[in-house]
Amino acid sequence: MDLTGQIANFHFNHILLNAAGVKCQTTAELDQVLASPYSGSVVTKSATPMTRPGNPSPRYYQLPEELGSVNSMGLPNEGFAYYLDYVLNKKTDKPVFFSVAGLTKDDNLAMLMELEQSNFNGLVELNLSCPNVPGKPQTAYDFEATRAILTEVFSFFTKPLGVKLPPYFDMVHFDMIAAVLNDFPLAFVNTINSIGNGLAIDPHTDTVVIKPKGGFGGLGGSLVKATALANVRALRERLNESIKIIGTGGVTSGRDVYDLVLCGADLVEVGTQLMVEDTPVFERLEGELANELDKKDYQSLAEIRGKLQIIS
Ligand SMILES: CC(C)(C)CCc1c(C(=O)O)[nH]c(=O)[nH]c1=O
């Protein structure tokens, strides 16, 4: 059975990997994800130029009944140089994704320039869920700002680059972000990032469950699956076919992986469920995915990729 994927010149023997932010802050975590026989790759925690401690804890909370998670980590990471050193020296046959999340455009451009001039030969993911300027929405919700930064990036960047997007909820927003992205030689789009600024309450104490931002945080896990499917499907329908799609959000079973591929995903990332089960989740999900294909006598993901049927 062929459970592989392809982005740019990179072939992935398995389509599953971690979502940036989960199991990818330290070299030990990165090594564990890469060492899993059932992961196809690894993505680093989104890097800022300097190391960051992130927000005060509690900053991550697992919701009850496996509903999902809420987080306001605050970009804790070991700093750009730490991850560059890792990806330059790590021996692996698997393609590697390097995620950058500068808090300013200049930080992003500086990190991307250094990646461009380095011997890094993997894929770069620019996290557009970062704030643009105070008082304005995150970059990916500011279509002019998105166009502006991609114009500057592609004036010098020649390696395979994709963007990590927050979810959109308005059909016109799908049209607008796709119209921007289609103007650039992107290798991929990764959709979705967490659903922004959710709120969860501890019923025993009538208190929010995380400390930062008065309890507001990004939502992940099964409760975001329908939004993830919609964003993968909507962008697949709108983006040039040269722009591949990484589907992220709501994966807890092989059927969830199958559904994201049906909507057009080339690779699939696991976040919240990886926090729950650790790296054995990759073997479970791939086994369940193979069973779903078996049920319908499919031999490869290529036969179902983008083949979601509508009711005519
Ligand atoms: C939300 C930001 C802190 C601007 C970026 C990092 C990030 C975080 C984080 O580090 O809080 N959490 C997410 O669910 N998605 C993200 O992209």
Side-chain angles (χ1 to χ4, degrees):
M1 186 170 282
D2 180 343
L3 301 176
T4 65
Q6 185 88 19
I7 295 182
N9 300 330
F10 296 93
H11 185 76
F12 297 80
N13 289 324
H14 301 269
I15 64 164
L16 297 173
L17 68 150
N18 65 301
V22 179
K23 198 100 190 149
C24 59
Q25 179 157 344
T26 65
T27 54
E29 291 178 315
L30 293 162
D31 282 348
Q32 276 179 47
V33 171
L34 273 179
S36 165
Y38 299 91
S39 78
S41 178
V42 68
V43 57
T44 61
K45 169 66 186 174
S46 296
T48 50
M50 308 307 289
T51 180
R52 280 172 61 89
N55 288 332
S57 295
R59 60 193 189 181
Y60 180 90
Y61 183 82
Q62 206 78 44
L63 297 170
E65 280 120 60
E66 300 188 359
L67 263 180
S69 63
V70 53
N71 91 83
S72 185
M73 308 299 287
L75 259 176
N77 74 96
E78 307 300 325
F80 178 83
Y82 177 95
Y83 299 107
L84 184 60
D85 179 67
Y86 179 80
V87 298
L88 291 179
N89 295 299
K90 179 66 185 174
K91 298 278 170 289
T92 176
D93 298 337
K94 298 179 181 180
V96 172
F97 288 86
F98 192 113
S99 176
V100 298
L103 292 175
T104 66
K105 183 164 75 168
D106 287 349
D107 279 0
N108 275 320
L109 296 174
M111 289 188 284
L112 291 171
M113 180 63 80
E114 196 164 343
L115 277 165
E116 175 68 16
Q117 294 169 344
S118 78
N119 293 330
F120 176 57
N121 63 1
L123 303 100
V124 177
E125 181 173 282
L126 176 58
N127 185 343
L128 292 180
S129 290
C130 286
N132 180 22
V133 292
K136 294 194 75 174
Q138 61 175 293
T139 302
Y141 286 163
D142 178 341
F143 300 110
E144 276 108 58
T146 299
R147 180 177 292 281
I149 188 161
L150 291 179
T151 300
E152 287 204 54
V153 167
F154 284 108
S155 70
F156 66 87
F157 202 80
T158 64
K159 297 184 177 180
L161 180 125
V163 291
K164 178 73 172 285
L165 298 174
Y168 299 93
F169 302 93
D170 187 304
M171 300 307 275
V172 173
H173 288 164
F174 290 139
D175 297 335
M176 292 172 80
I177 190 63
V180 173
L181 300 175
N182 277 331
D183 284 349
F184 299 97
L186 289 160
F188 67 93
V189 158
N190 184 344
T191 178
I192 61 174
N193 204 324
S194 50
I195 295 181
N197 297 306
L199 192 60
I201 297 172
D202 180 331
H204 306 293
T205 62
D206 293 356
T207 307
V208 300
V209 296
I210 57 173
K211 180 169 181 177
K213 294 175 62 178
F216 285 70
L219 303 177
S222 56
L223 64 82
V224 311
K225 179 182 172 184
T227 296
L229 291 181
N231 278 260
V232 169
R233 174 69 163 185
L235 288 174
R236 185 64 286 159
E237 289 177 323
R238 290 165 175 78
L239 292 175
N240 302 333
E241 57 189 45
S242 58
I243 303 178
K244 300 291 185 166
I245 295 186
I246 301 177
T248 304
V251 172
T252 65
S253 72
R255 179 72 216 188
D256 300 331
V257 181
Y258 184 103
D259 290 343
L260 284 166
V261 175
L262 213 47
C263 290
D266 295 279
L267 302 181
V268 172
E269 292 186 351
V270 189
T272 300
Q273 202 56 29
L274 178 58
M275 282 293 284
V276 172
E277 293 183 37
D278 210 332
T279 50
V281 75
F282 294 125
E283 178 174 11
R284 175 177 70 83
L285 292 174
E286 189 170 280
E288 292 174 3
L289 172 63
N291 289 340
E292 288 300 317
L293 288 163
D294 254 351
K295 282 180 197 169
K296 299 190 172 121
D297 283 337
Y298 288 125
Q299 308 305 320
S300 74
L301 287 175
E303 294 169 81
I304 66 162
R305 187 166 281 124
K307 297 289 194 300
L308 174 65
Q309 302 297 304
I310 59 174
I311 300 168
S312 50

Tab-separated table of all heavy atoms in Angstrom, residues 158-215:
chain	number	residue	atom	x	y	z
A	158	THR	N	15.079	31.407	-2.200
A	158	THR	CA	14.936	30.499	-3.338
A	158	THR	C	14.697	29.047	-2.918
A	158	THR	O	14.460	28.189	-3.752
A	158	THR	CB	16.213	30.512	-4.202
A	158	THR	OG1	17.297	29.982	-3.394
A	158	THR	CG2	16.546	31.916	-4.654
A	159	LYS	N	14.752	28.781	-1.584
A	159	LYS	CA	14.562	27.406	-1.133
A	159	LYS	C	13.064	27.120	-0.986
A	159	LYS	O	12.252	28.049	-0.991
A	159	LYS	CB	15.319	27.191	0.183
A	159	LYS	CG	16.825	27.367	0.016
A	159	LYS	CD	17.597	27.064	1.276
A	159	LYS	CE	19.107	27.202	1.006
A	159	LYS	NZ	19.923	26.914	2.202
A	160	PRO	N	12.680	25.840	-0.820
A	160	PRO	CA	11.253	25.510	-0.699
A	160	PRO	C	10.643	26.143	0.546
A	160	PRO	O	11.135	25.902	1.661
A	160	PRO	CB	11.242	23.985	-0.608
A	160	PRO	CG	12.531	23.553	-1.171
A	160	PRO	CD	13.507	24.636	-0.870
A	161	LEU	N	9.633	26.986	0.361
A	161	LEU	CA	9.020	27.700	1.481
A	161	LEU	C	7.503	27.573	1.440
A	161	LEU	O	6.904	27.598	0.359
A	161	LEU	CB	9.402	29.189	1.444
A	161	LEU	CG	8.821	30.032	2.565
A	161	LEU	CD1	9.918	30.777	3.309
A	161	LEU	CD2	7.779	30.994	2.079
A	162	GLY	N	6.932	27.403	2.619
A	162	GLY	CA	5.478	27.401	2.742
A	162	GLY	C	5.064	28.316	3.882
A	162	GLY	O	5.907	28.837	4.605
A	163	VAL	N	3.746	28.509	4.014
A	163	VAL	CA	3.241	29.343	5.099
A	163	VAL	C	2.283	28.547	5.974
A	163	VAL	O	1.546	27.676	5.485
A	163	VAL	CB	2.526	30.608	4.566
A	163	VAL	CG1	3.514	31.564	3.938
A	163	VAL	CG2	1.400	30.259	3.613
A	164	LYS	N	2.293	28.814	7.281
A	164	LYS	CA	1.352	28.222	8.238
A	164	LYS	C	0.261	29.252	8.438
A	164	LYS	O	0.552	30.415	8.805
A	164	LYS	CB	2.059	27.911	9.549
A	164	LYS	CG	1.183	27.325	10.647
A	164	LYS	CD	0.798	25.898	10.379
A	164	LYS	CE	0.085	25.224	11.546
A	164	LYS	NZ	1.004	24.852	12.652
A	165	LEU	N	-0.983	28.823	8.198
A	165	LEU	CA	-2.115	29.741	8.227
A	165	LEU	C	-3.061	29.441	9.375
A	165	LEU	O	-3.274	28.278	9.713
A	165	LEU	CB	-2.905	29.636	6.921
A	165	LEU	CG	-2.184	30.011	5.637
A	165	LEU	CD1	-3.085	29.707	4.453
A	165	LEU	CD2	-1.787	31.478	5.648
A	166	PRO	N	-3.670	30.485	9.943
A	166	PRO	CA	-4.770	30.290	10.880
A	166	PRO	C	-6.007	29.902	10.082
A	166	PRO	O	-6.042	30.047	8.856
A	166	PRO	CB	-4.929	31.681	11.491
A	166	PRO	CG	-4.574	32.601	10.374
A	166	PRO	CD	-3.444	31.910	9.634
A	167	PRO	N	-7.044	29.400	10.720
A	167	PRO	CA	-8.276	29.079	10.001
A	167	PRO	C	-8.996	30.336	9.543
A	167	PRO	O	-8.941	31.377	10.201
A	167	PRO	CB	-9.108	28.332	11.037
A	167	PRO	CG	-8.609	28.813	12.349
A	167	PRO	CD	-7.158	29.099	12.163
A	168	TYR	N	-9.673	30.224	8.388
A	168	TYR	CA	-10.584	31.276	7.925
A	168	TYR	C	-11.992	30.717	8.020
A	168	TYR	O	-12.199	29.500	7.978
A	168	TYR	CB	-10.245	31.680	6.480
A	168	TYR	CG	-8.850	32.226	6.336
A	168	TYR	CD1	-7.790	31.379	5.990
A	168	TYR	CD2	-8.564	33.562	6.600
A	168	TYR	CE1	-6.485	31.864	5.901
A	168	TYR	CE2	-7.268	34.049	6.508
A	168	TYR	CZ	-6.231	33.196	6.171
A	168	TYR	OH	-4.939	33.673	6.079
A	169	PHE	N	-12.977	31.643	8.152
A	169	PHE	CA	-14.354	31.236	8.404
A	169	PHE	C	-15.351	31.878	7.445
A	169	PHE	O	-16.555	31.638	7.552
A	169	PHE	CB	-14.740	31.591	9.847
A	169	PHE	CG	-13.849	30.942	10.864
A	169	PHE	CD1	-12.737	31.596	11.363
A	169	PHE	CD2	-14.084	29.637	11.280
A	169	PHE	CE1	-11.880	30.984	12.266
A	169	PHE	CE2	-13.241	29.013	12.195
A	169	PHE	CZ	-12.139	29.690	12.689
A	170	ASP	N	-14.831	32.679	6.515
A	170	ASP	CA	-15.708	33.389	5.579
A	170	ASP	C	-15.261	32.992	4.165
A	170	ASP	O	-14.054	33.013	3.861
A	170	ASP	CB	-15.548	34.905	5.788
A	170	ASP	CG	-16.538	35.707	4.967
A	170	ASP	OD1	-16.553	35.523	3.734
A	170	ASP	OD2	-17.286	36.489	5.565
A	171	MET	N	-16.211	32.622	3.314
A	171	MET	CA	-15.854	32.158	1.959
A	171	MET	C	-15.063	33.234	1.214
A	171	MET	O	-14.137	32.933	0.460
A	171	MET	CB	-17.100	31.794	1.150
A	171	MET	CG	-17.951	30.695	1.749
A	171	MET	SD	-17.019	29.190	2.121
A	171	MET	CE	-17.047	28.372	0.544
A	172	VAL	N	-15.367	34.501	1.450
A	172	VAL	CA	-14.636	35.574	0.778
A	172	VAL	C	-13.190	35.619	1.301
A	172	VAL	O	-12.262	35.910	0.558
A	172	VAL	CB	-15.356	36.931	0.971
A	172	VAL	CG1	-14.512	38.077	0.428
A	172	VAL	CG2	-16.715	36.892	0.295
A	173	HIS	N	-13.001	35.286	2.547
A	173	HIS	CA	-11.616	35.241	3.062
A	173	HIS	C	-10.822	34.105	2.409
A	173	HIS	O	-9.626	34.257	2.123
A	173	HIS	CB	-11.632	35.069	4.590
A	173	HIS	CG	-12.085	36.294	5.325
A	173	HIS	ND1	-12.478	36.257	6.647
A	173	HIS	CD2	-12.231	37.580	4.925
A	173	HIS	CE1	-12.830	37.473	7.015
A	173	HIS	NE2	-12.703	38.302	5.992
A	174	PHE	N	-11.475	32.965	2.134
A	174	PHE	CA	-10.784	31.896	1.403
A	174	PHE	C	-10.324	32.444	0.051
A	174	PHE	O	-9.188	32.246	-0.377
A	174	PHE	CB	-11.712	30.690	1.155
A	174	PHE	CG	-12.084	29.890	2.376
A	174	PHE	CD1	-13.382	29.428	2.539
A	174	PHE	CD2	-11.144	29.573	3.351
A	174	PHE	CE1	-13.738	28.666	3.660
A	174	PHE	CE2	-11.495	28.814	4.488
A	174	PHE	CZ	-12.789	28.370	4.625
A	175	ASP	N	-11.239	33.171	-0.640
A	175	ASP	CA	-10.901	33.744	-1.949
A	175	ASP	C	-9.741	34.733	-1.817
A	175	ASP	O	-8.802	34.724	-2.611
A	175	ASP	CB	-12.105	34.483	-2.553
A	175	ASP	CG	-13.284	33.563	-2.832
A	175	ASP	OD1	-13.060	32.340	-3.015
A	175	ASP	OD2	-14.426	34.049	-2.839
A	176	MET	N	-9.789	35.548	-0.773
A	176	MET	CA	-8.797	36.630	-0.658
A	176	MET	C	-7.405	36.097	-0.324
A	176	MET	O	-6.409	36.514	-0.915
A	176	MET	CB	-9.264	37.645	0.407
A	176	MET	CG	-10.513	38.413	-0.038
A	176	MET	SD	-11.204	39.438	1.278
A	176	MET	CE	-10.094	40.847	1.182
A	177	ILE	N	-7.318	35.140	0.602
A	177	ILE	CA	-5.986	34.630	0.952
A	177	ILE	C	-5.419	33.814	-0.223
A	177	ILE	O	-4.238	33.918	-0.543
A	177	ILE	CB	-5.991	33.819	2.259
A	177	ILE	CG1	-4.550	33.522	2.702
A	177	ILE	CG2	-6.793	32.530	2.122
A	177	ILE	CD1	-3.697	34.735	3.031
A	178	ALA	N	-6.290	33.072	-0.917
A	178	ALA	CA	-5.816	32.291	-2.069
A	178	ALA	C	-5.317	33.215	-3.180
A	178	ALA	O	-4.300	32.922	-3.832
A	178	ALA	CB	-6.929	31.386	-2.590
A	179	ALA	N	-5.996	34.354	-3.368
A	179	ALA	CA	-5.570	35.299	-4.416
A	179	ALA	C	-4.179	35.851	-4.100
A	179	ALA	O	-3.369	36.086	-5.008
A	179	ALA	CB	-6.572	36.437	-4.532
A	180	VAL	N	-3.875	36.022	-2.822
A	180	VAL	CA	-2.525	36.474	-2.441
A	180	VAL	C	-1.522	35.345	-2.658
A	180	VAL	O	-0.523	35.502	-3.364
A	180	VAL	CB	-2.498	36.943	-0.965
A	180	VAL	CG1	-1.072	37.238	-0.515
A	180	VAL	CG2	-3.393	38.167	-0.786
A	181	LEU	N	-1.805	34.176	-2.103
A	181	LEU	CA	-0.844	33.073	-2.130
A	181	LEU	C	-0.521	32.608	-3.547
A	181	LEU	O	0.621	32.259	-3.847
A	181	LEU	CB	-1.364	31.903	-1.284
A	181	LEU	CG	-1.616	32.219	0.188
A	181	LEU	CD1	-2.238	31.007	0.899
A	181	LEU	CD2	-0.328	32.652	0.892
A	182	ASN	N	-1.524	32.641	-4.435
A	182	ASN	CA	-1.309	32.189	-5.815
A	182	ASN	C	-0.340	33.077	-6.592
A	182	ASN	O	0.126	32.700	-7.663
A	182	ASN	CB	-2.644	32.089	-6.568
A	182	ASN	CG	-3.361	30.784	-6.307
A	182	ASN	OD1	-2.733	29.751	-6.037
A	182	ASN	ND2	-4.688	30.817	-6.342
A	183	ASP	N	-0.028	34.238	-6.044
A	183	ASP	CA	0.916	35.132	-6.720
A	183	ASP	C	2.373	34.831	-6.361
A	183	ASP	O	3.275	35.545	-6.801
A	183	ASP	CB	0.604	36.598	-6.377
A	183	ASP	CG	-0.618	37.109	-7.148
A	183	ASP	OD1	-1.055	36.392	-8.081
A	183	ASP	OD2	-1.132	38.188	-6.806
A	184	PHE	N	2.596	33.794	-5.542
A	184	PHE	CA	3.957	33.509	-5.085
A	184	PHE	C	4.334	32.040	-5.314
A	184	PHE	O	3.459	31.179	-5.307
A	184	PHE	CB	4.097	33.859	-3.593
A	184	PHE	CG	3.847	35.321	-3.318
A	184	PHE	CD1	2.594	35.759	-2.891
A	184	PHE	CD2	4.853	36.262	-3.529
A	184	PHE	CE1	2.353	37.108	-2.668
A	184	PHE	CE2	4.618	37.613	-3.295
A	184	PHE	CZ	3.371	38.038	-2.874
A	185	PRO	N	5.624	31.756	-5.521
A	185	PRO	CA	6.072	30.380	-5.797
A	185	PRO	C	6.203	29.560	-4.521
A	185	PRO	O	7.272	29.068	-4.183
A	185	PRO	CB	7.440	30.590	-6.465
A	185	PRO	CG	7.953	31.855	-5.863
A	185	PRO	CD	6.746	32.730	-5.615
A	186	LEU	N	5.107	29.427	-3.802
A	186	LEU	CA	5.101	28.677	-2.542
A	186	LEU	C	5.173	27.188	-2.820
A	186	LEU	O	4.542	26.699	-3.763
A	186	LEU	CB	3.810	28.989	-1.758
A	186	LEU	CG	3.701	30.390	-1.147
A	186	LEU	CD1	2.243	30.717	-0.856
A	186	LEU	CD2	4.535	30.485	0.118
A	187	ALA	N	5.912	26.476	-2.003
A	187	ALA	CA	5.965	25.020	-2.123
A	187	ALA	C	4.734	24.405	-1.467
A	187	ALA	O	4.225	23.364	-1.894
A	187	ALA	CB	7.231	24.484	-1.475
A	188	PHE	N	4.248	25.033	-0.383
A	188	PHE	CA	3.092	24.456	0.318
A	188	PHE	C	2.407	25.498	1.191
A	188	PHE	O	2.963	26.585	1.467
A	188	PHE	CB	3.543	23.262	1.186
A	188	PHE	CG	4.423	23.645	2.346
A	188	PHE	CD1	3.883	23.901	3.607
A	188	PHE	CD2	5.793	23.775	2.178
A	188	PHE	CE1	4.694	24.265	4.673
A	188	PHE	CE2	6.620	24.159	3.237
A	188	PHE	CZ	6.066	24.404	4.481
A	189	VAL	N	1.216	25.132	1.610
A	189	VAL	CA	0.468	25.873	2.620
A	189	VAL	C	0.114	24.867	3.705
A	189	VAL	O	-0.273	23.733	3.399
A	189	VAL	CB	-0.813	26.477	2.005
A	189	VAL	CG1	-1.843	26.783	3.064
A	189	VAL	CG2	-0.468	27.713	1.190
A	190	ASN	N	0.286	25.247	4.968
A	190	ASN	CA	-0.070	24.373	6.084
A	190	ASN	C	-1.288	24.984	6.769
A	190	ASN	O	-1.233	26.104	7.281
A	190	ASN	CB	1.108	24.274	7.065
A	190	ASN	CG	0.818	23.302	8.204
A	190	ASN	OD1	-0.336	22.936	8.436
A	190	ASN	ND2	1.857	22.909	8.929
A	191	THR	N	-2.381	24.271	6.704
A	191	THR	CA	-3.629	24.766	7.297
A	191	THR	C	-4.319	23.649	8.051
A	191	THR	O	-4.435	22.545	7.522
A	191	THR	CB	-4.558	25.339	6.188
A	191	THR	OG1	-5.785	25.776	6.769
A	191	THR	CG2	-4.859	24.322	5.090
A	192	ILE	N	-4.723	23.872	9.332
A	192	ILE	CA	-4.818	25.114	10.051
A	192	ILE	C	-3.897	25.175	11.271
A	192	ILE	O	-3.556	24.129	11.856
A	192	ILE	CB	-6.271	25.331	10.562
A	192	ILE	CG1	-6.680	24.220	11.517
A	192	ILE	CG2	-7.236	25.502	9.400
A	192	ILE	CD1	-8.042	24.438	12.189
A	193	ASN	N	-3.618	26.422	11.693
A	193	ASN	CA	-3.069	26.657	13.016
A	193	ASN	C	-4.255	26.581	13.976
A	193	ASN	O	-5.407	26.433	13.559
A	193	ASN	CB	-2.388	28.041	13.060
A	193	ASN	CG	-1.336	28.156	14.139
A	193	ASN	OD1	-1.487	27.594	15.220
A	193	ASN	ND2	-0.270	28.869	13.841
A	194	SER	N	-3.989	26.685	15.268
A	194	SER	CA	-5.087	26.601	16.245
A	194	SER	C	-6.151	27.664	15.963
A	194	SER	O	-5.862	28.707	15.375
A	194	SER	CB	-4.529	26.801	17.658
A	194	SER	OG	-3.720	27.952	17.706
A	195	ILE	N	-7.385	27.378	16.356
A	195	ILE	CA	-8.469	28.367	16.241
A	195	ILE	C	-8.244	29.382	17.364
A	195	ILE	O	-8.227	29.022	18.548
A	195	ILE	CB	-9.852	27.719	16.388
A	195	ILE	CG1	-10.114	26.760	15.227
A	195	ILE	CG2	-10.936	28.785	16.475
A	195	ILE	CD1	-11.474	26.079	15.272
A	196	GLY	N	-8.021	30.623	16.978
A	196	GLY	CA	-7.551	31.629	17.917
A	196	GLY	C	-8.542	32.010	19.004
A	196	GLY	O	-9.754	32.005	18.800
A	197	ASN	N	-7.958	32.264	20.187
A	197	ASN	CA	-8.699	32.919	21.274
A	197	ASN	C	-9.992	32.241	21.675
A	197	ASN	O	-11.058	32.867	21.742
A	197	ASN	CB	-8.943	34.378	20.913
A	197	ASN	CG	-7.628	35.116	20.791
A	197	ASN	OD1	-6.812	35.086	21.725
A	197	ASN	ND2	-7.370	35.706	19.637
A	198	GLY	N	-9.874	30.951	21.955
A	198	GLY	CA	-10.974	30.249	22.626
A	198	GLY	C	-10.865	30.453	24.127
A	198	GLY	O	-9.871	30.992	24.629
A	199	LEU	N	-11.896	29.982	24.863
A	199	LEU	CA	-11.901	30.159	26.319
A	199	LEU	C	-12.497	28.903	26.954
A	199	LEU	O	-13.513	28.389	26.481
A	199	LEU	CB	-12.755	31.390	26.690
A	199	LEU	CG	-12.669	31.932	28.110
A	199	LEU	CD1	-11.247	32.353	28.454
A	199	LEU	CD2	-13.611	33.125	28.276
A	200	ALA	N	-11.812	28.367	27.964
A	200	ALA	CA	-12.321	27.184	28.664
A	200	ALA	C	-12.352	27.478	30.153
A	200	ALA	O	-11.545	28.267	30.670
A	200	ALA	CB	-11.439	25.976	28.377
A	201	ILE	N	-13.314	26.846	30.845
A	201	ILE	CA	-13.561	27.143	32.265
A	201	ILE	C	-13.453	25.871	33.088
A	201	ILE	O	-13.980	24.823	32.693
A	201	ILE	CB	-14.955	27.778	32.444
A	201	ILE	CG1	-15.024	29.125	31.697
A	201	ILE	CG2	-15.297	27.964	33.918
A	201	ILE	CD1	-16.424	29.736	31.657
A	202	ASP	N	-12.799	25.971	34.235
A	202	ASP	CA	-12.732	24.867	35.198
A	202	ASP	C	-13.997	24.926	36.060
A	202	ASP	O	-14.180	25.891	36.816
A	202	ASP	CB	-11.491	25.028	36.088
A	202	ASP	CG	-11.383	23.890	37.106
A	202	ASP	OD1	-12.452	23.341	37.491
A	202	ASP	OD2	-10.260	23.552	37.510
A	203	PRO	N	-14.891	23.933	35.958
A	203	PRO	CA	-16.190	24.011	36.644
A	203	PRO	C	-16.080	23.959	38.169
A	203	PRO	O	-16.982	24.424	38.872
A	203	PRO	CB	-16.951	22.800	36.116
A	203	PRO	CG	-15.898	21.846	35.649
A	203	PRO	CD	-14.743	22.688	35.197
A	204	HIS	N	-14.957	23.446	38.678
A	204	HIS	CA	-14.823	23.367	40.144
A	204	HIS	C	-14.490	24.732	40.736
A	204	HIS	O	-14.887	25.044	41.854
A	204	HIS	CB	-13.725	22.348	40.508
A	204	HIS	CG	-13.945	21.013	39.875
A	204	HIS	ND1	-15.003	20.204	40.213
A	204	HIS	CD2	-13.279	20.366	38.876
A	204	HIS	CE1	-14.961	19.110	39.465
A	204	HIS	NE2	-13.925	19.183	38.654
A	205	THR	N	-13.771	25.525	39.973
A	205	THR	CA	-13.280	26.789	40.553
A	205	THR	C	-13.850	28.025	39.875
A	205	THR	O	-13.517	29.147	40.256
A	205	THR	CB	-11.736	26.855	40.397
A	205	THR	OG1	-11.458	26.831	38.987
A	205	THR	CG2	-11.058	25.674	41.082
A	206	ASP	N	-14.681	27.772	38.834
A	206	ASP	CA	-15.227	28.904	38.055
A	206	ASP	C	-14.111	29.810	37.557
A	206	ASP	O	-14.272	31.045	37.523
A	206	ASP	CB	-16.221	29.719	38.904
A	206	ASP	CG	-17.477	28.913	39.211
A	206	ASP	OD1	-17.582	27.780	38.698
A	206	ASP	OD2	-18.328	29.406	39.963
A	207	THR	N	-12.995	29.200	37.184
A	207	THR	CA	-11.812	29.949	36.761
A	207	THR	C	-11.387	29.495	35.372
A	207	THR	O	-11.590	28.333	35.016
A	207	THR	CB	-10.656	29.672	37.764
A	207	THR	OG1	-11.136	29.939	39.084
A	207	THR	CG2	-9.435	30.529	37.464
A	208	VAL	N	-10.765	30.402	34.610
A	208	VAL	CA	-10.213	29.992	33.311
A	208	VAL	C	-9.155	28.925	33.559
A	208	VAL	O	-8.665	28.758	34.681
A	208	VAL	CB	-9.610	31.203	32.571
A	208	VAL	CG1	-10.667	32.267	32.309
A	208	VAL	CG2	-8.456	31.804	33.364
A	209	VAL	N	-8.743	28.209	32.487
A	209	VAL	CA	-7.851	27.059	32.677
A	209	VAL	C	-6.386	27.352	32.357
A	209	VAL	O	-5.501	26.563	32.698
A	209	VAL	CB	-8.330	25.849	31.839
A	209	VAL	CG1	-9.698	25.390	32.319
A	209	VAL	CG2	-8.343	26.181	30.356
A	210	ILE	N	-6.130	28.513	31.677
A	210	ILE	CA	-4.728	28.874	31.442
A	210	ILE	C	-4.509	30.297	31.949
A	210	ILE	O	-5.436	31.112	31.979
A	210	ILE	CB	-4.307	28.756	29.950
A	210	ILE	CG1	-5.191	29.609	29.042
A	210	ILE	CG2	-4.291	27.308	29.512
A	210	ILE	CD1	-4.697	29.655	27.594
A	211	LYS	N	-3.259	30.599	32.325
A	211	LYS	CA	-2.944	31.883	32.968
A	211	LYS	C	-2.816	33.054	31.979
A	211	LYS	O	-3.374	34.129	32.211
A	211	LYS	CB	-1.652	31.727	33.783
A	211	LYS	CG	-1.232	32.993	34.497
A	211	LYS	CD	-0.107	32.714	35.491
A	211	LYS	CE	0.288	33.994	36.232
A	211	LYS	NZ	1.337	33.725	37.261
A	212	PRO	N	-2.083	32.887	30.866
A	212	PRO	CA	-1.851	34.034	29.975
A	212	PRO	C	-3.156	34.556	29.371
A	212	PRO	O	-4.149	33.843	29.251
A	212	PRO	CB	-0.943	33.472	28.867
A	212	PRO	CG	-0.379	32.209	29.416
A	212	PRO	CD	-1.417	31.667	30.340
A	213	LYS	N	-3.152	35.846	29.021
A	213	LYS	CA	-4.252	36.456	28.246
A	213	LYS	C	-5.617	36.249	28.898
A	213	LYS	O	-6.616	36.032	28.200
A	213	LYS	CB	-4.264	35.910	26.809
A	213	LYS	CG	-3.062	36.288	25.966
A	213	LYS	CD	-3.068	35.610	24.578
A	213	LYS	CE	-4.263	36.010	23.741
A	213	LYS	NZ	-4.237	35.402	22.384
A	214	GLY	N	-5.670	36.256	30.218
A	214	GLY	CA	-6.963	36.108	30.902
A	214	GLY	C	-7.662	34.815	30.570
A	214	GLY	O	-8.884	34.689	30.729
A	215	GLY	N	-6.899	33.818	30.073
A	215	GLY	CA	-7.486	32.505	29.782
A	215	GLY	C	-7.768	32.266	28.314
A	215	GLY	O	-8.133	31.159	27.914
